[in-house]
Short mmCIF file of all heavy atoms in Angstrom, two decimals:
data_model
loop_
_atom_site.label_atom_id
_atom_site.label_comp_id
_atom_site.label_asym_id
_atom_site.label_seq_id
_atom_site.Cartn_x
_atom_site.Cartn_y
_atom_site.Cartn_z
N LEU A 8 116.54 89.96 80.24
CA LEU A 8 116.26 89.48 81.61
C LEU A 8 116.32 90.58 82.63
O LEU A 8 115.55 90.60 83.60
CB LEU A 8 117.26 88.32 81.96
CG LEU A 8 117.12 87.07 81.13
CD1 LEU A 8 118.12 85.99 81.63
CD2 LEU A 8 115.65 86.52 81.21
N ASP A 9 117.24 91.51 82.45
CA ASP A 9 117.31 92.67 83.34
C ASP A 9 116.07 93.54 83.21
O ASP A 9 115.52 94.03 84.23
CB ASP A 9 118.52 93.55 82.93
CG ASP A 9 119.85 92.97 83.48
OD1 ASP A 9 119.80 92.06 84.28
OD2 ASP A 9 120.90 93.47 83.02
N GLU A 10 115.49 93.61 82.01
CA GLU A 10 114.24 94.35 81.83
C GLU A 10 113.11 93.64 82.61
O GLU A 10 112.29 94.30 83.24
CB GLU A 10 113.93 94.40 80.33
CG GLU A 10 112.57 95.06 79.99
CD GLU A 10 112.33 95.09 78.53
OE1 GLU A 10 113.17 95.54 77.76
OE2 GLU A 10 111.18 94.62 78.15
N ALA A 11 113.06 92.31 82.51
CA ALA A 11 112.00 91.59 83.21
C ALA A 11 112.16 91.74 84.68
O ALA A 11 111.19 91.90 85.44
CB ALA A 11 112.09 90.11 82.84
N GLU A 12 113.39 91.75 85.19
CA GLU A 12 113.62 91.92 86.60
C GLU A 12 113.25 93.33 87.07
O GLU A 12 112.61 93.53 88.16
CB GLU A 12 115.13 91.71 86.94
CG GLU A 12 115.54 91.97 88.36
CD GLU A 12 114.97 90.99 89.36
OE1 GLU A 12 114.37 89.96 88.93
OE2 GLU A 12 115.09 91.23 90.55
N ASN A 13 113.53 94.31 86.31
CA ASN A 13 113.17 95.71 86.59
C ASN A 13 111.63 95.86 86.68
O ASN A 13 111.08 96.46 87.62
CB ASN A 13 113.75 96.66 85.60
CG ASN A 13 113.35 98.08 85.83
OD1 ASN A 13 112.51 98.66 85.12
ND2 ASN A 13 113.92 98.70 86.87
N GLU A 14 110.93 95.22 85.73
CA GLU A 14 109.46 95.31 85.70
C GLU A 14 108.90 94.57 86.92
O GLU A 14 107.91 95.00 87.53
CB GLU A 14 108.90 94.70 84.45
CG GLU A 14 109.27 95.43 83.16
CD GLU A 14 108.50 96.75 83.01
OE1 GLU A 14 107.78 97.15 83.94
OE2 GLU A 14 108.64 97.37 81.91
N ARG A 15 109.56 93.47 87.35
CA ARG A 15 109.08 92.74 88.51
C ARG A 15 109.23 93.57 89.79
O ARG A 15 108.39 93.55 90.69
CB ARG A 15 109.85 91.39 88.64
CG ARG A 15 109.30 90.48 89.73
CD ARG A 15 110.10 89.19 89.73
NE ARG A 15 111.47 89.40 90.20
CZ ARG A 15 111.80 89.40 91.49
NH1 ARG A 15 110.93 89.21 92.45
NH2 ARG A 15 113.04 89.61 91.83
N MET A 16 110.31 94.37 89.84
CA MET A 16 110.50 95.21 90.98
C MET A 16 109.49 96.37 91.05
O MET A 16 109.09 96.81 92.11
CB MET A 16 111.92 95.76 90.97
CG MET A 16 113.01 94.75 91.30
SD MET A 16 112.67 93.81 92.85
CE MET A 16 112.50 95.16 94.02
N HIS A 17 109.00 96.76 89.87
CA HIS A 17 107.86 97.71 89.85
C HIS A 17 106.68 97.10 90.54
O HIS A 17 106.01 97.74 91.33
CB HIS A 17 107.52 98.02 88.42
CG HIS A 17 108.51 98.80 87.66
ND1 HIS A 17 108.36 99.13 86.33
CD2 HIS A 17 109.70 99.32 88.02
CE1 HIS A 17 109.43 99.82 85.91
NE2 HIS A 17 110.25 99.93 86.93
N LEU A 18 106.43 95.81 90.29
CA LEU A 18 105.30 95.11 90.90
C LEU A 18 105.51 95.02 92.40
O LEU A 18 104.61 95.28 93.20
CB LEU A 18 105.10 93.75 90.27
CG LEU A 18 104.06 92.85 90.98
CD1 LEU A 18 102.69 93.47 90.88
CD2 LEU A 18 104.10 91.46 90.37
N MET A 19 106.71 94.61 92.83
CA MET A 19 107.01 94.46 94.24
C MET A 19 106.76 95.80 94.99
O MET A 19 106.34 95.82 96.14
CB MET A 19 108.48 94.02 94.44
CG MET A 19 108.85 92.68 93.91
SD MET A 19 107.93 91.31 94.65
CE MET A 19 106.77 90.92 93.34
N THR A 20 106.97 96.91 94.28
CA THR A 20 106.81 98.23 94.87
C THR A 20 105.32 98.56 94.98
O THR A 20 104.84 98.96 96.01
CB THR A 20 107.52 99.29 94.03
OG1 THR A 20 108.93 99.04 94.07
CG2 THR A 20 107.29 100.68 94.59
N PHE A 21 104.61 98.39 93.91
CA PHE A 21 103.20 98.80 93.91
C PHE A 21 102.35 97.88 94.72
O PHE A 21 101.19 98.22 95.11
CB PHE A 21 102.68 98.92 92.47
CG PHE A 21 103.11 100.20 91.80
CD1 PHE A 21 104.02 100.16 90.73
CD2 PHE A 21 102.65 101.45 92.24
CE1 PHE A 21 104.43 101.32 90.15
CE2 PHE A 21 103.06 102.58 91.64
CZ PHE A 21 104.00 102.54 90.57
N MET A 22 102.84 96.65 95.03
CA MET A 22 102.13 95.79 95.95
C MET A 22 102.03 96.43 97.32
O MET A 22 101.11 96.14 98.06
CB MET A 22 102.87 94.44 96.05
CG MET A 22 102.63 93.49 94.94
SD MET A 22 103.78 92.12 94.93
CE MET A 22 103.61 91.49 96.61
N GLU A 23 102.98 97.31 97.63
CA GLU A 23 103.04 97.94 98.96
C GLU A 23 102.06 99.14 99.07
O GLU A 23 101.77 99.58 100.14
CB GLU A 23 104.41 98.44 99.24
CG GLU A 23 105.54 97.30 99.20
CD GLU A 23 105.34 96.32 100.36
OE1 GLU A 23 104.88 96.72 101.44
OE2 GLU A 23 105.66 95.14 100.15
N VAL A 24 101.63 99.66 97.93
CA VAL A 24 100.82 100.90 98.01
C VAL A 24 99.39 100.66 97.49
O VAL A 24 98.54 101.58 97.65
CB VAL A 24 101.48 102.04 97.21
CG1 VAL A 24 102.85 102.38 97.80
CG2 VAL A 24 101.65 101.68 95.71
N SER A 25 99.08 99.57 96.81
CA SER A 25 97.76 99.39 96.29
C SER A 25 97.04 98.28 97.04
O SER A 25 97.64 97.41 97.67
CB SER A 25 97.86 98.94 94.77
OG SER A 25 98.54 97.77 94.64
N GLN A 26 95.74 98.35 96.98
CA GLN A 26 94.86 97.39 97.61
C GLN A 26 93.95 96.80 96.58
O GLN A 26 92.72 97.14 96.50
CB GLN A 26 94.08 98.00 98.74
CG GLN A 26 94.88 98.62 99.87
CD GLN A 26 95.61 97.53 100.68
OE1 GLN A 26 95.10 96.41 100.74
NE2 GLN A 26 96.74 97.87 101.27
N PRO A 27 94.47 95.88 95.75
CA PRO A 27 93.59 95.33 94.64
C PRO A 27 92.46 94.50 95.19
O PRO A 27 92.62 93.82 96.27
CB PRO A 27 94.59 94.47 93.81
CG PRO A 27 95.68 94.11 94.85
CD PRO A 27 95.79 95.30 95.70
N ARG A 28 91.37 94.46 94.54
CA ARG A 28 90.22 93.70 94.93
C ARG A 28 90.42 92.24 94.46
O ARG A 28 91.23 91.97 93.68
CB ARG A 28 88.93 94.27 94.32
CG ARG A 28 88.67 95.69 94.83
CD ARG A 28 87.71 96.45 93.95
NE ARG A 28 87.57 97.83 94.44
CZ ARG A 28 87.01 98.80 93.77
NH1 ARG A 28 86.65 98.52 92.51
NH2 ARG A 28 86.90 99.98 94.26
N TRP A 29 89.59 91.38 94.97
CA TRP A 29 89.77 89.93 94.75
C TRP A 29 89.64 89.63 93.26
O TRP A 29 90.36 88.79 92.76
CB TRP A 29 88.76 89.13 95.54
CG TRP A 29 87.34 89.29 95.12
CD1 TRP A 29 86.42 90.20 95.59
CD2 TRP A 29 86.67 88.57 94.05
NE1 TRP A 29 85.24 90.08 94.88
CE2 TRP A 29 85.32 89.06 93.98
CE3 TRP A 29 87.05 87.53 93.23
CZ2 TRP A 29 84.43 88.60 93.10
CZ3 TRP A 29 86.10 87.04 92.31
CH2 TRP A 29 84.80 87.55 92.22
N TYR A 30 88.69 90.29 92.56
CA TYR A 30 88.52 89.98 91.14
C TYR A 30 89.69 90.53 90.31
O TYR A 30 89.98 90.02 89.24
CB TYR A 30 87.21 90.48 90.62
CG TYR A 30 86.95 91.94 90.84
CD1 TYR A 30 87.42 92.89 89.92
CD2 TYR A 30 86.18 92.42 91.90
CE1 TYR A 30 87.19 94.25 90.08
CE2 TYR A 30 85.94 93.76 92.11
CZ TYR A 30 86.46 94.68 91.15
OH TYR A 30 86.20 96.03 91.32
N GLU A 31 90.35 91.56 90.78
CA GLU A 31 91.52 92.04 90.11
C GLU A 31 92.69 91.10 90.25
O GLU A 31 93.45 90.88 89.27
CB GLU A 31 91.91 93.45 90.67
CG GLU A 31 90.90 94.52 90.29
CD GLU A 31 91.15 95.83 90.97
OE1 GLU A 31 91.75 95.81 92.06
OE2 GLU A 31 90.71 96.87 90.45
N ARG A 32 92.86 90.50 91.44
CA ARG A 32 93.90 89.54 91.61
C ARG A 32 93.60 88.29 90.77
O ARG A 32 94.50 87.66 90.19
CB ARG A 32 93.98 89.11 93.09
CG ARG A 32 94.49 90.30 93.95
CD ARG A 32 94.97 89.77 95.29
NE ARG A 32 93.88 89.24 96.14
CZ ARG A 32 93.25 89.93 97.03
NH1 ARG A 32 93.51 91.21 97.23
NH2 ARG A 32 92.28 89.35 97.75
N ALA A 33 92.29 87.92 90.67
CA ALA A 33 91.96 86.77 89.83
C ALA A 33 92.18 87.06 88.33
O ALA A 33 92.65 86.18 87.59
CB ALA A 33 90.48 86.38 90.02
N LEU A 34 91.99 88.31 87.95
CA LEU A 34 92.21 88.68 86.60
C LEU A 34 93.67 88.60 86.18
O LEU A 34 93.98 88.32 85.00
CB LEU A 34 91.72 90.13 86.34
CG LEU A 34 91.77 90.71 84.97
CD1 LEU A 34 90.86 89.90 84.05
CD2 LEU A 34 91.40 92.18 84.93
#
């Protein structure tokens, strides 16, 4: 569960620096 939480925090971080396109979000 700690591993899952750490990976989720990676996502929370890269959400701040990336601009995914609509089809990438749908994917």
Side-chain angles (χ1 to χ4, degrees):
L8 294 182
D9 284 347
E10 178 182 307
E12 174 68 9
N13 178 254
E14 296 285 7
R15 190 178 67 86
M16 289 307 304
H17 292 176
L18 173 63
M19 297 297 104
T20 296
F21 283 111
M22 280 167 52
E23 302 292 328
V24 297
S25 64
Q26 298 291 334
R28 296 161 184 166
W29 67 268
Y30 57 83
E31 291 171 336
R32 293 197 292 266
L34 185 62

